[in-house]
Amino acid sequence: MRIRPAATLTRTLVALAAAAPLALGLASAEAGAAPSDARPHVPYVIGHRGVPVQAPENTLASIDRAARLGIGWVENDVQRTRDGALVVVHDTTLTRTTDVRKRFPDRAPWRVGDFTLAEIRTLDAGSWYGHRFAGEKVPTLDGYLRRVDHNRQRLLLEIKAPELYPGVERQLADALRRAGWLDRRHVGGRLVVQSFSAPALKTFHGLRPEVKTGFLGAPRAADLPGYAAFADQVNPDHTKVTAGWVRAVHGLTGPHGRRLEVSAWTVDDPERAVALARLGVDAIISNAAHVVADALAEDADEDAVPTLTDVLG
């Protein structure tokens, strides 16, 4: 496979792939290249916390940059403040991605749940990444959802560390409803809620069974049927993916009556992304989604070009 700069045609194909509703699924491929008479399998690509190779993760700047790059799916992480507000931040502490140590030096260990929303709003969530992002804020979930809608993007939303925030599943369901994200347009192909916590995911599924859900992890093939009762996706660390495991996942039907899907994370190497595509994964989560999408589209273009043998029979 050759990795080359994206051409206009490649960008067009990437945009079309990104716009395909998740609810429709994608045809899986067996290990190895697709048959010559079939369209090559191309997973859709999800921007991990936006596009953190170009902007500070989980910020509005990051998803705006993703939108400009044609990244149709973004992933984020939701946690709760001390006074009950939902905010978009990955780590359970604020030290890595904000200036909380400087602003609140006596508040160690600087856990998200120990600060009020008003306090978190004073933090700079961009300067650590670069001067041009100085003043970027930790988004509220409501603000983040509005921006994703404005950008016409789709959302893979992680319930982060739910054991720290009792009742967060119901609170999240209510927040999505108030924001208009539980209508047919959103639940039909623009929203997936995921978590590493099977109990949290079961709870959320029980509250809002119409919403697609994903379990983060790579359960043994023998245990997969239990997850199919409440998860539409099983989303593993990419290093755990094998052709046999993907086939086992695809062999099961999820709570919405469709084949279970696989979204592998976090993949920034184009050649690894192509290898995963050939193993049949449905989606790839990446810090550099635009680079991975270009590589997948290029590989599909190359596989789709007929050989002399194909032409002459």
Side-chain angles (χ1 to χ4, degrees):
M1 183 199 69
R2 302 184 308 276
I3 304 300
R4 63 175 182 261
T8 301
L9 175 59
T10 298
R11 282 293 189 197
T12 301
L13 291 170
V14 171
L16 289 172
L22 181 59
L24 296 178
L26 291 170
S28 66
E30 297 296 331
S36 60
D37 60 347
R39 186 175 184 84
H41 170 71
V42 183
Y44 58 92
V45 185
I46 302 168
H48 186 233
R49 311 177 203 169
V51 59
V53 296
Q54 294 195 10
E57 64 187 59
N58 271 332
T59 62
L60 299 185
S62 194
I63 57 172
D64 287 348
R65 182 61 181 159
R68 288 194 293 273
L69 291 168
I71 300 169
W73 276 92
V74 292
E75 182 266 356
N76 78 347
D77 309 271
V78 175
Q79 297 187 62
R80 189 167 67 201
T81 66
R82 190 177 73 189
D83 52 346
L86 296 179
V87 292
V88 174
V89 61
H90 176 267
D91 297 3
T92 56
T93 64
L94 294 158
T95 52
R96 183 175 63 85
T97 57
T98 76
D99 62 346
V100 68
R101 289 177 184 268
K102 177 181 177 181
R103 290 185 180 272
F104 299 98
D106 301 323
R107 298 279 293 277
W110 299 285
R111 290 183 292 256
V112 174
D114 291 341
F115 288 80
T116 66
L117 178 60
E119 290 170 333
I120 288 177
R121 279 176 165 159
T122 69
L123 302 178
D124 181 337
S127 290
W128 68 274
Y129 191 93
H131 293 303
R132 66 188 183 282
F133 295 107
E136 194 71 27
K137 299 301 181 183
V138 173
T140 63
L141 178 62
D142 286 345
Y144 196 95
L145 293 173
R146 286 194 299 270
R147 188 63 64 88
V148 172
D149 254 343
H150 177 268
N151 291 344
R152 299 182 180 179
Q153 292 166 308
R154 294 170 170 83
L155 179 61
L156 177 59
L157 189 160
E158 180 183 343
I159 307 174
K160 187 72 176 184
E163 66 278 4
L164 299 179
Y165 311 110
V168 69
E169 301 90 352
R170 182 175 295 278
Q171 184 179 5
L172 176 59
D174 290 343
L176 289 168
R177 176 185 52 79
R178 289 193 304 270
W181 271 73
L182 296 182
D183 62 7
R184 182 177 299 180
R185 182 171 65 95
H186 287 86
V187 301
R190 296 190 62 199
L191 174 66
V192 178
V193 172
Q194 66 175 358
S195 181
F196 282 99
S197 168
L201 211 59
K202 289 179 183 178
T203 298
F204 185 86
H205 174 69
L207 293 168
R208 303 304 312 205
E210 72 273 29
V211 177
K212 292 189 71 170
T213 51
F215 176 72
L216 281 161
R220 296 182 309 163
D223 296 330
L224 287 170
Y227 293 88
F230 59 89
D232 301 274
Q233 301 177 351
V234 182
N235 300 339
D237 180 330
H238 76 95
T239 64
K240 308 296 184 183
V241 176
T242 66
W245 188 84
V246 172
R247 285 195 296 270
V249 175
H250 284 168
L252 296 169
T253 300
H256 290 96
R258 300 186 183 93
R259 186 197 72 179
L260 288 192
E261 300 167 340
V262 176
S263 297
W265 50 269
T266 302
V267 184
D268 299 336
D269 176 62
E271 293 189 1
R272 177 58 179 162
V274 169
L276 288 164
R278 295 181 178 185
L279 292 177
V281 304
D282 300 284
I284 293 174
I285 301 169
S286 176
N287 293 313
H290 55 303
V291 175
V292 166
D294 285 343
L296 294 175
E298 179 182 339
D299 186 67
D301 286 348
E302 291 178 354
D303 284 349
V305 173
T307 64
L308 184 60
T309 300
D310 294 327
V311 174
L312 297 179

